[in-house]
PDB file of all heavy atoms in Angstrom:
ATOM      1  N   PRO A 116      -7.139-233.291  83.288  1.00 63.00           N
ATOM      2  CA  PRO A 116      -7.541-232.598  84.517  1.00 63.00           C
ATOM      3  C   PRO A 116      -8.208-233.547  85.497  1.00 63.00           C
ATOM      4  O   PRO A 116      -9.040-234.376  85.117  1.00 63.00           O
ATOM      5  CB  PRO A 116      -8.538-231.541  84.006  1.00 63.00           C
ATOM      6  CG  PRO A 116      -8.102-231.295  82.601  1.00 63.00           C
ATOM      7  CD  PRO A 116      -7.668-232.639  82.093  1.00 63.00           C
ATOM      8  N   LYS A 117      -7.807-233.453  86.755  1.00 62.00           N
ATOM      9  CA  LYS A 117      -8.370-234.328  87.771  1.00 62.00           C
ATOM     10  C   LYS A 117      -9.799-233.919  88.098  1.00 62.00           C
ATOM     11  O   LYS A 117     -10.072-232.749  88.365  1.00 62.00           O
ATOM     12  CB  LYS A 117      -7.521-234.259  89.044  1.00 62.00           C
ATOM     13  CG  LYS A 117      -6.100-234.775  88.863  1.00 62.00           C
ATOM     14  CD  LYS A 117      -5.309-234.642  90.149  1.00 62.00           C
ATOM     15  CE  LYS A 117      -3.883-235.152  89.963  1.00 62.00           C
ATOM     16  NZ  LYS A 117      -3.086-235.015  91.200  1.00 62.00           N
ATOM     17  N   ALA A 118     -10.676-234.897  88.057  1.00 55.00           N
ATOM     18  CA  ALA A 118     -12.068-234.615  88.382  1.00 55.00           C
ATOM     19  C   ALA A 118     -12.200-234.468  89.893  1.00 55.00           C
ATOM     20  O   ALA A 118     -11.716-235.301  90.659  1.00 55.00           O
ATOM     21  CB  ALA A 118     -12.962-235.752  87.884  1.00 55.00           C
ATOM     22  N   GLN A 119     -12.816-233.387  90.310  1.00 57.00           N
ATOM     23  CA  GLN A 119     -12.976-233.151  91.736  1.00 57.00           C
ATOM     24  C   GLN A 119     -14.125-233.997  92.274  1.00 57.00           C
ATOM     25  O   GLN A 119     -15.074-234.323  91.569  1.00 57.00           O
ATOM     26  CB  GLN A 119     -13.240-231.663  91.997  1.00 57.00           C
ATOM     27  CG  GLN A 119     -12.069-230.778  91.606  1.00 57.00           C
ATOM     28  CD  GLN A 119     -12.189-229.387  92.196  1.00 57.00           C
ATOM     29  OE1 GLN A 119     -12.979-229.151  93.093  1.00 57.00           O
ATOM     30  NE2 GLN A 119     -11.384-228.476  91.690  1.00 57.00           N
ATOM     31  N   ALA A 120     -13.996-234.370  93.517  1.00 53.00           N
ATOM     32  CA  ALA A 120     -15.031-235.197  94.134  1.00 53.00           C
ATOM     33  C   ALA A 120     -16.363-234.474  94.113  1.00 53.00           C
ATOM     34  O   ALA A 120     -16.434-233.267  94.368  1.00 53.00           O
ATOM     35  CB  ALA A 120     -14.628-235.519  95.575  1.00 53.00           C
ATOM     36  N   ALA A 121     -17.390-235.202  93.759  1.00 53.00           N
ATOM     37  CA  ALA A 121     -18.720-234.606  93.697  1.00 53.00           C
ATOM     38  C   ALA A 121     -19.136-234.110  95.076  1.00 53.00           C
ATOM     39  O   ALA A 121     -18.936-234.776  96.088  1.00 53.00           O
ATOM     40  CB  ALA A 121     -19.722-235.637  93.180  1.00 53.00           C
ATOM     41  N   ALA A 122     -19.674-232.922  95.093  1.00 59.00           N
ATOM     42  CA  ALA A 122     -20.086-232.335  96.367  1.00 59.00           C
ATOM     43  C   ALA A 122     -21.428-231.650  96.193  1.00 59.00           C
ATOM     44  O   ALA A 122     -21.754-231.157  95.112  1.00 59.00           O
ATOM     45  CB  ALA A 122     -19.041-231.332  96.852  1.00 59.00           C
ATOM     46  N   VAL A 123     -22.183-231.643  97.247  1.00 69.00           N
ATOM     47  CA  VAL A 123     -23.489-230.985  97.214  1.00 69.00           C
ATOM     48  C   VAL A 123     -23.258-229.492  97.353  1.00 69.00           C
ATOM     49  O   VAL A 123     -22.640-229.027  98.305  1.00 69.00           O
ATOM     50  CB  VAL A 123     -24.398-231.492  98.354  1.00 69.00           C
ATOM     51  CG1 VAL A 123     -25.722-230.740  98.331  1.00 69.00           C
ATOM     52  CG2 VAL A 123     -24.629-232.991  98.220  1.00 69.00           C
ATOM     53  N   VAL A 124     -23.731-228.758  96.351  1.00 74.00           N
ATOM     54  CA  VAL A 124     -23.570-227.304  96.365  1.00 74.00           C
ATOM     55  C   VAL A 124     -24.934-226.655  96.506  1.00 74.00           C
ATOM     56  O   VAL A 124     -25.847-226.941  95.731  1.00 74.00           O
ATOM     57  CB  VAL A 124     -22.905-226.805  95.057  1.00 74.00           C
ATOM     58  CG1 VAL A 124     -22.747-225.292  95.092  1.00 74.00           C
ATOM     59  CG2 VAL A 124     -21.571-227.492  94.855  1.00 74.00           C
ATOM     60  N   ALA A 125     -25.048-225.813  97.499  1.00 78.00           N
ATOM     61  CA  ALA A 125     -26.309-225.109  97.709  1.00 78.00           C
ATOM     62  C   ALA A 125     -26.626-224.269  96.479  1.00 78.00           C
ATOM     63  O   ALA A 125     -25.733-223.623  95.914  1.00 78.00           O
ATOM     64  CB  ALA A 125     -26.223-224.223  98.945  1.00 78.00           C
ATOM     65  N   VAL A 126     -27.872-224.286  96.070  1.00 80.00           N
ATOM     66  CA  VAL A 126     -28.280-223.568  94.863  1.00 80.00           C
ATOM     67  C   VAL A 126     -27.923-222.093  94.942  1.00 80.00           C
ATOM     68  O   VAL A 126     -27.482-221.485  93.955  1.00 80.00           O
ATOM     69  CB  VAL A 126     -29.807-223.724  94.635  1.00 80.00           C
ATOM     70  CG1 VAL A 126     -30.244-222.894  93.428  1.00 80.00           C
ATOM     71  CG2 VAL A 126     -30.164-225.185  94.420  1.00 80.00           C
ATOM     72  N   ASP A 127     -28.074-221.506  96.114  1.00 84.00           N
ATOM     73  CA  ASP A 127     -27.806-220.072  96.248  1.00 84.00           C
ATOM     74  C   ASP A 127     -26.311-219.752  96.310  1.00 84.00           C
ATOM     75  O   ASP A 127     -25.921-218.581  96.398  1.00 84.00           O
ATOM     76  CB  ASP A 127     -28.514-219.493  97.470  1.00 84.00           C
ATOM     77  CG  ASP A 127     -28.112-220.202  98.758  1.00 84.00           C
ATOM     78  OD1 ASP A 127     -27.425-221.236  98.668  1.00 84.00           O
ATOM     79  OD2 ASP A 127     -28.481-219.717  99.840  1.00 84.00           O
ATOM     80  N   ASN A 128     -25.451-220.780  96.246  1.00 88.00           N
ATOM     81  CA  ASN A 128     -24.004-220.560  96.232  1.00 88.00           C
ATOM     82  C   ASN A 128     -23.385-220.823  94.867  1.00 88.00           C
ATOM     83  O   ASN A 128     -22.234-220.451  94.623  1.00 88.00           O
ATOM     84  CB  ASN A 128     -23.306-221.468  97.257  1.00 88.00           C
ATOM     85  CG  ASN A 128     -23.456-220.951  98.679  1.00 88.00           C
ATOM     86  OD1 ASN A 128     -23.595-219.747  98.898  1.00 88.00           O
ATOM     87  ND2 ASN A 128     -23.452-221.865  99.635  1.00 88.00           N
ATOM     88  N   ARG A 129     -24.172-221.446  93.988  1.00 91.00           N
ATOM     89  CA  ARG A 129     -23.633-221.807  92.669  1.00 91.00           C
ATOM     90  C   ARG A 129     -23.688-220.597  91.731  1.00 91.00           C
ATOM     91  O   ARG A 129     -24.717-219.956  91.595  1.00 91.00           O
ATOM     92  CB  ARG A 129     -24.416-222.978  92.084  1.00 91.00           C
ATOM     93  CG  ARG A 129     -23.790-223.553  90.831  1.00 91.00           C
ATOM     94  CD  ARG A 129     -24.299-224.950  90.568  1.00 91.00           C
ATOM     95  NE  ARG A 129     -23.624-225.557  89.419  1.00 91.00           N
ATOM     96  CZ  ARG A 129     -23.686-226.845  89.134  1.00 91.00           C
ATOM     97  NH1 ARG A 129     -24.371-227.662  89.919  1.00 91.00           N
ATOM     98  NH2 ARG A 129     -23.059-227.329  88.079  1.00 91.00           N
ATOM     99  N   GLN A 130     -22.550-220.343  91.088  1.00 93.00           N
ATOM    100  CA  GLN A 130     -22.455-219.167  90.214  1.00 93.00           C
ATOM    101  C   GLN A 130     -21.647-219.504  88.968  1.00 93.00           C
ATOM    102  O   GLN A 130     -20.740-220.327  89.007  1.00 93.00           O
ATOM    103  CB  GLN A 130     -21.782-218.016  90.969  1.00 93.00           C
ATOM    104  CG  GLN A 130     -21.672-216.718  90.191  1.00 93.00           C
ATOM    105  CD  GLN A 130     -21.146-215.584  91.065  1.00 93.00           C
ATOM    106  OE1 GLN A 130     -21.592-215.417  92.200  1.00 93.00           O
ATOM    107  NE2 GLN A 130     -20.199-214.828  90.544  1.00 93.00           N
ATOM    108  N   GLN A 131     -21.983-218.866  87.875  1.00 94.00           N
ATOM    109  CA  GLN A 131     -21.277-219.083  86.609  1.00 94.00           C
ATOM    110  C   GLN A 131     -20.783-217.739  86.074  1.00 94.00           C
ATOM    111  O   GLN A 131     -21.555-216.795  85.933  1.00 94.00           O
ATOM    112  CB  GLN A 131     -22.194-219.743  85.579  1.00 94.00           C
ATOM    113  CG  GLN A 131     -21.480-220.264  84.349  1.00 94.00           C
ATOM    114  CD  GLN A 131     -22.421-221.013  83.419  1.00 94.00           C
ATOM    115  OE1 GLN A 131     -23.220-220.397  82.716  1.00 94.00           O
ATOM    116  NE2 GLN A 131     -22.329-222.345  83.427  1.00 94.00           N
ATOM    117  N   THR A 132     -19.487-217.674  85.789  1.00 96.00           N
ATOM    118  CA  THR A 132     -18.874-216.431  85.333  1.00 96.00           C
ATOM    119  C   THR A 132     -18.015-216.686  84.095  1.00 96.00           C
ATOM    120  O   THR A 132     -17.334-217.706  83.999  1.00 96.00           O
ATOM    121  CB  THR A 132     -18.001-215.808  86.442  1.00 96.00           C
ATOM    122  OG1 THR A 132     -18.831-215.493  87.563  1.00 96.00           O
ATOM    123  CG2 THR A 132     -17.317-214.537  85.962  1.00 96.00           C
ATOM    124  N   LYS A 133     -18.064-215.752  83.163  1.00 96.00           N
ATOM    125  CA  LYS A 133     -17.271-215.854  81.948  1.00 96.00           C
ATOM    126  C   LYS A 133     -16.059-214.932  82.080  1.00 96.00           C
ATOM    127  O   LYS A 133     -16.196-213.717  82.245  1.00 96.00           O
ATOM    128  CB  LYS A 133     -18.097-215.443  80.728  1.00 96.00           C
ATOM    129  CG  LYS A 133     -17.372-215.626  79.402  1.00 96.00           C
ATOM    130  CD  LYS A 133     -18.296-215.280  78.240  1.00 96.00           C
ATOM    131  CE  LYS A 133     -17.619-215.554  76.902  1.00 96.00           C
ATOM    132  NZ  LYS A 133     -18.539-215.243  75.761  1.00 96.00           N
ATOM    133  N   PHE A 134     -14.858-215.526  82.019  1.00 97.00           N
ATOM    134  CA  PHE A 134     -13.617-214.776  82.138  1.00 97.00           C
ATOM    135  C   PHE A 134     -13.045-214.520  80.737  1.00 97.00           C
ATOM    136  O   PHE A 134     -12.819-215.470  79.983  1.00 97.00           O
ATOM    137  CB  PHE A 134     -12.591-215.543  82.979  1.00 97.00           C
ATOM    138  CG  PHE A 134     -13.003-215.695  84.421  1.00 97.00           C
ATOM    139  CD1 PHE A 134     -13.851-216.719  84.818  1.00 97.00           C
ATOM    140  CD2 PHE A 134     -12.536-214.814  85.384  1.00 97.00           C
ATOM    141  CE1 PHE A 134     -14.239-216.865  86.142  1.00 97.00           C
ATOM    142  CE2 PHE A 134     -12.910-214.942  86.711  1.00 97.00           C
ATOM    143  CZ  PHE A 134     -13.773-215.974  87.101  1.00 97.00           C
ATOM    144  N   ILE A 135     -12.826-213.267  80.401  1.00 96.00           N
ATOM    145  CA  ILE A 135     -12.248-212.901  79.110  1.00 96.00           C
ATOM    146  C   ILE A 135     -10.732-212.899  79.276  1.00 96.00           C
ATOM    147  O   ILE A 135     -10.192-212.176  80.113  1.00 96.00           O
ATOM    148  CB  ILE A 135     -12.727-211.507  78.653  1.00 96.00           C
ATOM    149  CG1 ILE A 135     -14.263-211.431  78.709  1.00 96.00           C
ATOM    150  CG2 ILE A 135     -12.222-211.211  77.245  1.00 96.00           C
ATOM    151  CD1 ILE A 135     -14.969-212.484  77.881  1.00 96.00           C
ATOM    152  N   ILE A 136     -10.058-213.730  78.475  1.00 95.00           N
ATOM    153  CA  ILE A 136      -8.617-213.955  78.664  1.00 95.00           C
ATOM    154  C   ILE A 136      -7.800-213.517  77.452  1.00 95.00           C
ATOM    155  O   ILE A 136      -8.134-213.851  76.310  1.00 95.00           O
ATOM    156  CB  ILE A 136      -8.349-215.450  78.940  1.00 95.00           C
ATOM    157  CG1 ILE A 136      -9.244-215.937  80.091  1.00 95.00           C
ATOM    158  CG2 ILE A 136      -6.882-215.685  79.259  1.00 95.00           C
ATOM    159  CD1 ILE A 136      -9.207-217.435  80.289  1.00 95.00           C
ATOM    160  N   GLN A 137      -6.728-212.810  77.688  1.00 90.00           N
ATOM    161  CA  GLN A 137      -5.822-212.384  76.628  1.00 90.00           C
ATOM    162  C   GLN A 137      -4.611-213.317  76.555  1.00 90.00           C
ATOM    163  O   GLN A 137      -4.132-213.791  77.579  1.00 90.00           O
ATOM    164  CB  GLN A 137      -5.314-210.963  76.893  1.00 90.00           C
ATOM    165  CG  GLN A 137      -6.374-209.886  76.770  1.00 90.00           C
ATOM    166  CD  GLN A 137      -5.820-208.502  77.026  1.00 90.00           C
ATOM    167  OE1 GLN A 137      -4.983-208.314  77.902  1.00 90.00           O
ATOM    168  NE2 GLN A 137      -6.275-207.511  76.264  1.00 90.00           N
ATOM    169  N   GLY A 138      -4.136-213.595  75.333  1.00 85.00           N
ATOM    170  CA  GLY A 138      -2.902-214.359  75.171  1.00 85.00           C
ATOM    171  C   GLY A 138      -3.068-215.774  74.673  1.00 85.00           C
ATOM    172  O   GLY A 138      -2.104-216.406  74.250  1.00 85.00           O
ATOM    173  N   MET A 139      -4.284-216.332  74.691  1.00 86.00           N
ATOM    174  CA  MET A 139      -4.484-217.705  74.219  1.00 86.00           C
ATOM    175  C   MET A 139      -4.492-217.738  72.696  1.00 86.00           C
ATOM    176  O   MET A 139      -5.149-216.920  72.061  1.00 86.00           O
ATOM    177  CB  MET A 139      -5.789-218.286  74.767  1.00 86.00           C
ATOM    178  CG  MET A 139      -5.828-218.449  76.265  1.00 86.00           C
ATOM    179  SD  MET A 139      -7.219-219.484  76.827  1.00 86.00           S
ATOM    180  CE  MET A 139      -8.622-218.530  76.252  1.00 86.00           C
ATOM    181  N   THR A 140      -3.771-218.704  72.125  1.00 83.00           N
ATOM    182  CA  THR A 140      -3.661-218.772  70.664  1.00 83.00           C
ATOM    183  C   THR A 140      -3.997-220.147  70.068  1.00 83.00           C
ATOM    184  O   THR A 140      -4.142-220.266  68.853  1.00 83.00           O
ATOM    185  CB  THR A 140      -2.238-218.403  70.223  1.00 83.00           C
ATOM    186  OG1 THR A 140      -1.295-219.283  70.858  1.00 83.00           O
ATOM    187  CG2 THR A 140      -1.906-216.962  70.604  1.00 83.00           C
ATOM    188  N   CYS A 141      -4.095-221.191  70.898  1.00 83.00           N
ATOM    189  CA  CYS A 141      -4.382-222.521  70.357  1.00 83.00           C
ATOM    190  C   CYS A 141      -4.929-223.423  71.472  1.00 83.00           C
ATOM    191  O   CYS A 141      -5.095-222.996  72.605  1.00 83.00           O
ATOM    192  CB  CYS A 141      -3.137-223.139  69.743  1.00 83.00           C
ATOM    193  SG  CYS A 141      -1.818-223.452  70.946  1.00 83.00           S
ATOM    194  N   GLU A 142      -5.187-224.689  71.116  1.00 81.00           N
ATOM    195  CA  GLU A 142      -5.748-225.634  72.079  1.00 81.00           C
ATOM    196  C   GLU A 142      -4.811-225.891  73.251  1.00 81.00           C
ATOM    197  O   GLU A 142      -5.256-226.231  74.350  1.00 81.00           O
ATOM    198  CB  GLU A 142      -6.089-226.957  71.385  1.00 81.00           C
ATOM    199  CG  GLU A 142      -7.271-226.849  70.431  1.00 81.00           C
ATOM    200  CD  GLU A 142      -7.656-228.186  69.837  1.00 81.00           C
ATOM    201  OE1 GLU A 142      -7.046-229.200  70.212  1.00 81.00           O
ATOM    202  OE2 GLU A 142      -8.568-228.222  68.997  1.00 81.00           O
ATOM    203  N   ALA A 143      -3.510-225.749  73.016  1.00 79.00           N
ATOM    204  CA  ALA A 143      -2.558-225.952  74.109  1.00 79.00           C
ATOM    205  C   ALA A 143      -2.796-224.927  75.215  1.00 79.00           C
ATOM    206  O   ALA A 143      -2.665-225.233  76.400  1.00 79.00           O
ATOM    207  CB  ALA A 143      -1.130-225.835  73.583  1.00 79.00           C
ATOM    208  N   CYS A 144      -3.167-223.727  74.810  1.00 84.00           N
ATOM    209  CA  CYS A 144      -3.460-222.670  75.792  1.00 84.00           C
ATOM    210  C   CYS A 144      -4.702-223.040  76.603  1.00 84.00           C
ATOM    211  O   CYS A 144      -4.750-222.833  77.818  1.00 84.00           O
ATOM    212  CB  CYS A 144      -3.680-221.335  75.079  1.00 84.00           C
ATOM    213  SG  CYS A 144      -2.334-220.839  73.993  1.00 84.00           S
ATOM    214  N   GLU A 145      -5.702-223.578  75.914  1.00 87.00           N
ATOM    215  CA  GLU A 145      -6.934-224.007  76.599  1.00 87.00           C
ATOM    216  C   GLU A 145      -6.610-225.044  77.664  1.00 87.00           C
ATOM    217  O   GLU A 145      -7.088-224.960  78.798  1.00 87.00           O
ATOM    218  CB  GLU A 145      -7.914-224.618  75.590  1.00 87.00           C
ATOM    219  CG  GLU A 145      -8.451-223.678  74.543  1.00 87.00           C
ATOM    220  CD  GLU A 145      -9.346-224.417  73.563  1.00 87.00           C
ATOM    221  OE1 GLU A 145      -9.542-225.644  73.727  1.00 87.00           O
ATOM    222  OE2 GLU A 145      -9.860-223.766  72.639  1.00 87.00           O
ATOM    223  N   GLU A 146      -5.803-226.038  77.253  1.00 84.00           N
ATOM    224  CA  GLU A 146      -5.463-227.125  78.173  1.00 84.00           C
ATOM    225  C   GLU A 146      -4.689-226.609  79.384  1.00 84.00           C
ATOM    226  O   GLU A 146      -4.860-227.110  80.498  1.00 84.00           O
ATOM    227  CB  GLU A 146      -4.633-228.190  77.441  1.00 84.00           C
ATOM    228  CG  GLU A 146      -5.379-228.921  76.344  1.00 84.00           C
ATOM    229  CD  GLU A 146      -6.565-229.707  76.872  1.00 84.00           C
ATOM    230  OE1 GLU A 146      -6.495-230.222  78.015  1.00 84.00           O
ATOM    231  OE2 GLU A 146      -7.577-229.794  76.163  1.00 84.00           O
ATOM    232  N   HIS A 147      -3.840-225.624  79.161  1.00 84.00           N
ATOM    233  CA  HIS A 147      -3.055-225.063  80.259  1.00 84.00           C
ATOM    234  C   HIS A 147      -3.969-224.412  81.289  1.00 84.00           C
ATOM    235  O   HIS A 147      -3.839-224.643  82.494  1.00 84.00           O
ATOM    236  CB  HIS A 147      -2.069-224.039  79.711  1.00 84.00           C
ATOM    237  CG  HIS A 147      -1.007-223.664  80.687  1.00 84.00           C
ATOM    238  ND1 HIS A 147      -0.040-222.731  80.426  1.00 84.00           N
ATOM    239  CD2 HIS A 147      -0.748-224.092  81.957  1.00 84.00           C
ATOM    240  CE1 HIS A 147       0.758-222.597  81.479  1.00 84.00           C
ATOM    241  NE2 HIS A 147       0.344-223.415  82.404  1.00 84.00           N
ATOM    242  N   VAL A 148      -4.922-223.615  80.810  1.00 90.00           N
ATOM    243  CA  VAL A 148      -5.868-222.945  81.711  1.00 90.00           C
ATOM    244  C   VAL A 148      -6.749-223.976  82.421  1.00 90.00           C
ATOM    245  O   VAL A 148      -6.951-223.911  83.628  1.00 90.00           O
ATOM    246  CB  VAL A 148      -6.747-221.935  80.937  1.00 90.00           C
ATOM    247  CG1 VAL A 148      -7.841-221.373  81.838  1.00 90.00           C
ATOM    248  CG2 VAL A 148      -5.888-220.795  80.393  1.00 90.00           C
ATOM    249  N   ASN A 149      -7.272-224.950  81.666  1.00 89.00           N
ATOM    250  CA  ASN A 149      -8.128-225.978  82.256  1.00 89.00           C
ATOM    251  C   ASN A 149      -7.399-226.794  83.318  1.00 89.00           C
ATOM    252  O   ASN A 149      -7.974-227.166  84.344  1.00 89.00           O
ATOM    253  CB  ASN A 149      -8.646-226.927  81.166  1.00 89.00           C
ATOM    254  CG  ASN A 149      -9.718-226.292  80.305  1.00 89.00           C
ATOM    255  OD1 ASN A 149     -10.353-225.316  80.705  1.00 89.00           O
ATOM    256  ND2 ASN A 149      -9.921-226.826  79.123  1.00 89.00           N
ATOM    257  N   ASN A 150      -6.135-227.079  83.050  1.00 86.00           N
ATOM    258  CA  ASN A 150      -5.332-227.853  83.996  1.00 86.00           C
ATOM    259  C   ASN A 150      -5.227-227.148  85.345  1.00 86.00           C
ATOM    260  O   ASN A 150      -5.286-227.784  86.402  1.00 86.00           O
ATOM    261  CB  ASN A 150      -3.936-228.090  83.419  1.00 86.00           C
ATOM    262  CG  ASN A 150      -3.090-228.995  84.282  1.00 86.00           C
ATOM    263  OD1 ASN A 150      -3.434-230.141  84.547  1.00 86.00           O
ATOM    264  ND2 ASN A 150      -1.964-228.480  84.754  1.00 86.00           N
ATOM    265  N   GLU A 151      -5.075-225.819  85.308  1.00 88.00           N
ATOM    266  CA  GLU A 151      -4.973-225.056  86.551  1.00 88.00           C
ATOM    267  C   GLU A 151      -6.326-224.909  87.241  1.00 88.00           C
ATOM    268  O   GLU A 151      -6.422-224.985  88.470  1.00 88.00           O
ATOM    269  CB  GLU A 151      -4.365-223.677  86.273  1.00 88.00           C
ATOM    270  CG  GLU A 151      -2.921-223.719  85.790  1.00 88.00           C
ATOM    271  CD  GLU A 151      -2.015-224.465  86.760  1.00 88.00           C
ATOM    272  OE1 GLU A 151      -2.111-224.239  87.986  1.00 88.00           O
ATOM    273  OE2 GLU A 151      -1.215-225.307  86.294  1.00 88.00           O
ATOM    274  N   LEU A 152      -7.375-224.712  86.462  1.00 92.00           N
ATOM    275  CA  LEU A 152      -8.722-224.572  87.038  1.00 92.00           C
ATOM    276  C   LEU A 152      -9.168-225.855  87.730  1.00 92.00           C
ATOM    277  O   LEU A 152      -9.904-225.818  88.714  1.00 92.00           O
ATOM    278  CB  LEU A 152      -9.728-224.184  85.953  1.00 92.00           C
ATOM    279  CG  LEU A 152      -9.631-222.763  85.401  1.00 92.00           C
ATOM    280  CD1 LEU A 152     -10.611-222.580  84.234  1.00 92.00           C
ATOM    281  CD2 LEU A 152      -9.922-221.740  86.494  1.00 92.00           C
ATOM    282  N   SER A 153      -8.702-227.002  87.204  1.00 90.00           N
ATOM    283  CA  SER A 153      -9.103-228.288  87.771  1.00 90.00           C
ATOM    284  C   SER A 153      -8.567-228.483  89.187  1.00 90.00           C
ATOM    285  O   SER A 153      -9.055-229.332  89.935  1.00 90.00           O
ATOM    286  CB  SER A 153      -8.621-229.436  86.881  1.00 90.00           C
ATOM    287  OG  SER A 153      -7.200-229.549  86.926  1.00 90.00           O
TER     288      SER A 153
END
Side-chain angles (χ1 to χ4, degrees):
K117 296 178 180 179
Q119 296 195 15
V123 177
V124 180
V126 176
D127 57 351
N128 283 332
R129 189 161 184 166
Q130 182 173 315
Q131 192 175 75
T132 298
K133 185 176 184 179
F134 294 84
I135 308 303
I136 308 171
Q137 292 181 321
M139 295 193 299
T140 57
C141 64
E142 290 184 3
C144 306
E145 295 177 1
E146 294 297 327
H147 194 182
V148 173
N149 286 340
N150 185 59
E151 295 304 315
L152 289 174
S153 69

